[in-house]
Amino acid sequence: MPEKPGGTLLPIAALIAAMVSIQTGAAFAKHLFPVIGPEGTTALRVGFAAVILLALLRPWQRSLTLRDTGAVALYGAALGLMNCLFYLSLRTVPLGIAVAIEFTGPLAVALWGSRHPSDFLWIGLALLGLVLLLPLSEASGVDPVGAALALAAGVAWALYIVFGQAAGRAGGSSAVALGMTVAALLVVPVGIVQAGADLLMPSTLAAGLAVALLSSALPYSLEMFALTRMPRPVFGVLMSLEPAIAALAALPLLGERLSPLQGFAILCISAASIGMAIGTRRGG
């Protein structure tokens, strides 16, 4: 039976809204780094998001099997690791570039699920973009440590997609709240150790709450909605807009400008994802 247009458009719209929200929140979060560092910022973001989602979704009203609990725990661990590694990379890498490097995670998920011969072209294009961004030469202008952290965040992002689908099937919307709680249990203690009492300043708490709403509570709920309503490869490739959205958000909010070479590299990665999306639709 053919899928209704509305059934396809709604998850796509939710995913695009999630990307806009999360990258705007990331740009705001970077302003907190001088005060509480990336670890403290991650703690506030994930901690507030967990409280908000627990209050809204009340996941304790739904019972989970031991297997379901394991799926949610893996999803939450990937979520916390992804957030922390990404913010650590932002200390030295511009937002748009960090997202483009991190984006190799979901792109790898999409490639893993595809069997089209033409995908080798898109693999090559994505690798070209990645080589141009990675600090393999002085011309890249990218910090090696920051790039490595962004790559590690990409691995965690891929795991987030894989575990997120399993968690969504197990716990539905409750999986977002439970997963965020697991993430908070992992990253909040690290943030407390690193930032200490600075986390409790009223202005910092207010900013952290805004970041949590923009970067976690809203977008992860939208992403979970989309994850459970579209194939995993399609979800991965539709996120090809993410690096461009990040670069656009960073320009007015952070004053971060990309060089022509860096912009071309981001276009290569996004074009590879678009090509994969077209191939996936034709193959489906």
Side-chain angles (χ1 to χ4, degrees):
M1 180 180 294
E3 190 175 9
K4 296 180 180 180
T8 303
L9 291 177
L10 194 57
I12 291 175
L15 190 54
I16 292 175
M19 289 187 285
V20 172
S21 179
I22 202 169
Q23 296 309 326
T24 301
F28 281 123
K30 199 166 181 177
H31 289 293
L32 284 173
F33 287 4
V35 181
I36 56 174
E39 299 92 345
T41 305
T42 305
L44 287 181
R45 168 184 173 174
V46 176
F48 273 128
V51 172
I52 293 169
L53 290 172
L54 285 173
L56 290 177
L57 300 178
R58 301 177 182 179
W60 55 84
Q61 295 180 342
R62 178 170 181 163
S63 60
L64 297 177
T65 65
L66 184 60
R67 183 176 180 179
D68 293 343
T69 303
V72 171
L74 288 173
Y75 164 67
L79 182 58
L81 188 61
M82 176 181 68
N83 278 282
C84 194
L85 289 170
F86 178 65
Y87 275 7
L88 286 170
S89 75
L90 288 184
R91 288 182 301 184
T92 55
V93 176
L95 177 60
I97 294 177
V99 172
I101 295 174
E102 185 194 26
F103 186 70
T104 55
L107 181 57
V109 173
L111 291 170
W112 181 264
S114 181
R115 298 294 184 268
H116 301 290
S118 62
D119 292 341
F120 288 104
L121 171 64
W122 309 125
I123 293 172
L125 193 59
L127 287 175
L128 173 62
L130 188 59
V131 167
L132 292 175
L133 285 179
L134 291 178
L136 304 178
S137 68
E138 293 182 2
S140 69
V142 178
D143 174 65
V145 175
L149 288 166
L151 275 175
V155 175
W157 194 353
L159 294 175
Y160 161 77
I161 294 172
V162 174
F163 295 147
Q165 282 201 315
R169 288 191 293 267
S173 60
S174 300
V176 182
L178 294 173
M180 192 66 70
T181 302
V182 172
L185 291 174
L186 293 175
V187 302
V188 168
V190 177
I192 292 174
V193 170
Q194 292 295 321
D198 289 339
L199 285 174
L200 300 178
M201 293 189 299
S203 59
T204 302
L205 289 173
L209 177 59
V211 169
L213 290 169
L214 285 171
S215 294
S216 293
L218 176 61
Y220 289 142
S221 296
L222 292 171
E223 283 185 4
M224 181 58 72
F225 174 84
L227 268 171
T228 55
R229 287 165 176 80
M230 63 175 63
R232 185 190 305 166
V234 176
F235 178 90
V237 296
L238 282 177
M239 297 188 77
S240 59
L241 291 174
E242 189 100 39
I245 291 173
L248 290 173
L251 183 59
L253 297 175
L254 297 172
E256 294 179 348
R257 296 180 180 274
L258 301 179
S259 70
L261 183 63
Q262 292 168 341
F264 175 71
I266 290 177
L267 282 177
C268 286
I269 294 174
S270 294
S273 300
I274 292 170
M276 281 294 301
I278 295 173
T280 301
R281 287 181 61 85
R282 286 176 179 173

PDB file of all heavy atoms in Angstrom, residues 13 21 39 43 56 69 77 80 92 129 143 174 195 227 248 256 263:
ATOM      1  N   ALA A  13       9.206  17.213   8.262  1.00  0.00           N
ATOM      2  CA  ALA A  13       9.085  18.545   8.868  1.00  0.00           C
ATOM      3  C   ALA A  13       9.591  18.536  10.301  1.00  0.00           C
ATOM      4  O   ALA A  13      10.260  19.481  10.746  1.00  0.00           O
ATOM      5  CB  ALA A  13       7.623  19.003   8.822  1.00  0.00           C
ATOM      6  N   SER A  21      16.494  23.884  15.502  1.00  0.00           N
ATOM      7  CA  SER A  21      16.489  24.133  16.939  1.00  0.00           C
ATOM      8  C   SER A  21      17.822  23.757  17.575  1.00  0.00           C
ATOM      9  O   SER A  21      18.404  24.521  18.356  1.00  0.00           O
ATOM     10  CB  SER A  21      15.350  23.348  17.597  1.00  0.00           C
ATOM     11  OG  SER A  21      15.325  23.559  18.989  1.00  0.00           O
ATOM     12  N   GLU A  39      32.039  21.092  29.512  1.00  0.00           N
ATOM     13  CA  GLU A  39      31.494  20.048  30.386  1.00  0.00           C
ATOM     14  C   GLU A  39      30.329  20.578  31.221  1.00  0.00           C
ATOM     15  O   GLU A  39      29.289  19.924  31.351  1.00  0.00           O
ATOM     16  CB  GLU A  39      32.585  19.509  31.315  1.00  0.00           C
ATOM     17  CG  GLU A  39      33.765  18.879  30.602  1.00  0.00           C
ATOM     18  CD  GLU A  39      34.888  19.870  30.332  1.00  0.00           C
ATOM     19  OE1 GLU A  39      34.648  21.096  30.442  1.00  0.00           O
ATOM     20  OE2 GLU A  39      36.001  19.425  30.015  1.00  0.00           O
ATOM     21  N   ALA A  43      26.348  19.582  31.070  1.00  0.00           N
ATOM     22  CA  ALA A  43      25.618  19.176  32.266  1.00  0.00           C
ATOM     23  C   ALA A  43      24.296  19.928  32.389  1.00  0.00           C
ATOM     24  O   ALA A  43      23.251  19.327  32.686  1.00  0.00           O
ATOM     25  CB  ALA A  43      26.484  19.406  33.509  1.00  0.00           C
ATOM     26  N   LEU A  56       7.090  16.154  31.530  1.00  0.00           N
ATOM     27  CA  LEU A  56       6.112  16.188  30.441  1.00  0.00           C
ATOM     28  C   LEU A  56       5.635  14.794  30.038  1.00  0.00           C
ATOM     29  O   LEU A  56       4.437  14.580  29.803  1.00  0.00           O
ATOM     30  CB  LEU A  56       6.709  16.900  29.221  1.00  0.00           C
ATOM     31  CG  LEU A  56       6.930  18.408  29.335  1.00  0.00           C
ATOM     32  CD1 LEU A  56       7.600  18.939  28.067  1.00  0.00           C
ATOM     33  CD2 LEU A  56       5.606  19.135  29.568  1.00  0.00           C
ATOM     34  N   THR A  69      14.718  -2.033  28.712  1.00  0.00           N
ATOM     35  CA  THR A  69      15.530  -1.174  29.579  1.00  0.00           C
ATOM     36  C   THR A  69      16.960  -1.080  29.066  1.00  0.00           C
ATOM     37  O   THR A  69      17.575  -0.008  29.077  1.00  0.00           O
ATOM     38  CB  THR A  69      15.520  -1.713  31.020  1.00  0.00           C
ATOM     39  OG1 THR A  69      14.169  -1.793  31.481  1.00  0.00           O
ATOM     40  CG2 THR A  69      16.326  -0.811  31.938  1.00  0.00           C
ATOM     41  N   ALA A  77      23.198   6.397  26.884  1.00  0.00           N
ATOM     42  CA  ALA A  77      24.650   6.501  26.955  1.00  0.00           C
ATOM     43  C   ALA A  77      25.216   7.132  25.691  1.00  0.00           C
ATOM     44  O   ALA A  77      26.102   7.998  25.754  1.00  0.00           O
ATOM     45  CB  ALA A  77      25.259   5.118  27.178  1.00  0.00           C
ATOM     46  N   GLY A  80      24.400  10.936  25.801  1.00  0.00           N
ATOM     47  CA  GLY A  80      25.270  11.718  26.675  1.00  0.00           C
ATOM     48  C   GLY A  80      26.673  11.863  26.112  1.00  0.00           C
ATOM     49  O   GLY A  80      27.267  12.953  26.148  1.00  0.00           O
ATOM     50  N   THR A  92      37.462  24.584  20.043  1.00  0.00           N
ATOM     51  CA  THR A  92      38.503  25.010  19.098  1.00  0.00           C
ATOM     52  C   THR A  92      38.101  24.901  17.635  1.00  0.00           C
ATOM     53  O   THR A  92      38.866  25.301  16.766  1.00  0.00           O
ATOM     54  CB  THR A  92      39.776  24.171  19.308  1.00  0.00           C
ATOM     55  OG1 THR A  92      39.455  22.773  19.202  1.00  0.00           O
ATOM     56  CG2 THR A  92      40.380  24.443  20.684  1.00  0.00           C
ATOM     57  N   GLY A 129      35.188  15.728   1.042  1.00  0.00           N
ATOM     58  CA  GLY A 129      34.826  16.793   1.970  1.00  0.00           C
ATOM     59  C   GLY A 129      35.490  16.618   3.315  1.00  0.00           C
ATOM     60  O   GLY A 129      35.988  17.580   3.908  1.00  0.00           O
ATOM     61  N   ASP A 143      41.771  22.727  14.109  1.00  0.00           N
ATOM     62  CA  ASP A 143      42.531  22.189  15.236  1.00  0.00           C
ATOM     63  C   ASP A 143      42.450  20.662  15.245  1.00  0.00           C
ATOM     64  O   ASP A 143      41.348  20.101  15.191  1.00  0.00           O
ATOM     65  CB  ASP A 143      41.979  22.753  16.540  1.00  0.00           C
ATOM     66  CG  ASP A 143      42.627  22.121  17.755  1.00  0.00           C
ATOM     67  OD1 ASP A 143      43.836  22.322  17.946  1.00  0.00           O
ATOM     68  OD2 ASP A 143      41.918  21.420  18.502  1.00  0.00           O
ATOM     69  N   SER A 174       8.315   7.731  25.673  1.00  0.00           N
ATOM     70  CA  SER A 174       8.963   7.651  26.982  1.00  0.00           C
ATOM     71  C   SER A 174      10.460   7.418  26.868  1.00  0.00           C
ATOM     72  O   SER A 174      11.225   7.761  27.776  1.00  0.00           O
ATOM     73  CB  SER A 174       8.342   6.518  27.807  1.00  0.00           C
ATOM     74  OG  SER A 174       6.963   6.734  28.018  1.00  0.00           O
ATOM     75  N   ALA A 195      32.962  22.529  36.630  1.00  0.00           N
ATOM     76  CA  ALA A 195      32.494  23.915  36.775  1.00  0.00           C
ATOM     77  C   ALA A 195      32.199  24.316  38.207  1.00  0.00           C
ATOM     78  O   ALA A 195      32.235  25.511  38.537  1.00  0.00           O
ATOM     79  CB  ALA A 195      31.248  24.134  35.908  1.00  0.00           C
ATOM     80  N   LEU A 227      12.385   9.269  13.875  1.00  0.00           N
ATOM     81  CA  LEU A 227      13.108   7.991  13.853  1.00  0.00           C
ATOM     82  C   LEU A 227      12.171   6.796  13.759  1.00  0.00           C
ATOM     83  O   LEU A 227      12.475   5.810  13.082  1.00  0.00           O
ATOM     84  CB  LEU A 227      13.958   7.859  15.119  1.00  0.00           C
ATOM     85  CG  LEU A 227      15.409   8.345  15.066  1.00  0.00           C
ATOM     86  CD1 LEU A 227      15.996   8.342  16.466  1.00  0.00           C
ATOM     87  CD2 LEU A 227      16.244   7.483  14.144  1.00  0.00           C
ATOM     88  N   LEU A 248      25.087  28.412   8.975  1.00  0.00           N
ATOM     89  CA  LEU A 248      24.236  29.604   8.883  1.00  0.00           C
ATOM     90  C   LEU A 248      23.929  30.158  10.272  1.00  0.00           C
ATOM     91  O   LEU A 248      23.886  31.377  10.461  1.00  0.00           O
ATOM     92  CB  LEU A 248      22.939  29.267   8.142  1.00  0.00           C
ATOM     93  CG  LEU A 248      23.075  28.995   6.639  1.00  0.00           C
ATOM     94  CD1 LEU A 248      21.747  28.515   6.064  1.00  0.00           C
ATOM     95  CD2 LEU A 248      23.546  30.256   5.908  1.00  0.00           C
ATOM     96  N   GLU A 256      31.218  33.361  13.158  1.00  0.00           N
ATOM     97  CA  GLU A 256      32.154  32.403  12.574  1.00  0.00           C
ATOM     98  C   GLU A 256      31.950  32.336  11.061  1.00  0.00           C
ATOM     99  O   GLU A 256      30.887  31.946  10.582  1.00  0.00           O
ATOM    100  CB  GLU A 256      31.968  31.020  13.192  1.00  0.00           C
ATOM    101  CG  GLU A 256      32.328  30.969  14.672  1.00  0.00           C
ATOM    102  CD  GLU A 256      32.109  29.602  15.289  1.00  0.00           C
ATOM    103  OE1 GLU A 256      31.461  28.751  14.637  1.00  0.00           O
ATOM    104  OE2 GLU A 256      32.554  29.379  16.429  1.00  0.00           O
ATOM    105  N   GLY A 263      33.858  25.882   3.074  1.00  0.00           N
ATOM    106  CA  GLY A 263      32.492  25.871   2.572  1.00  0.00           C
ATOM    107  C   GLY A 263      32.299  24.826   1.496  1.00  0.00           C
ATOM    108  O   GLY A 263      31.274  24.126   1.456  1.00  0.00           O
TER     109      GLY A 263
END
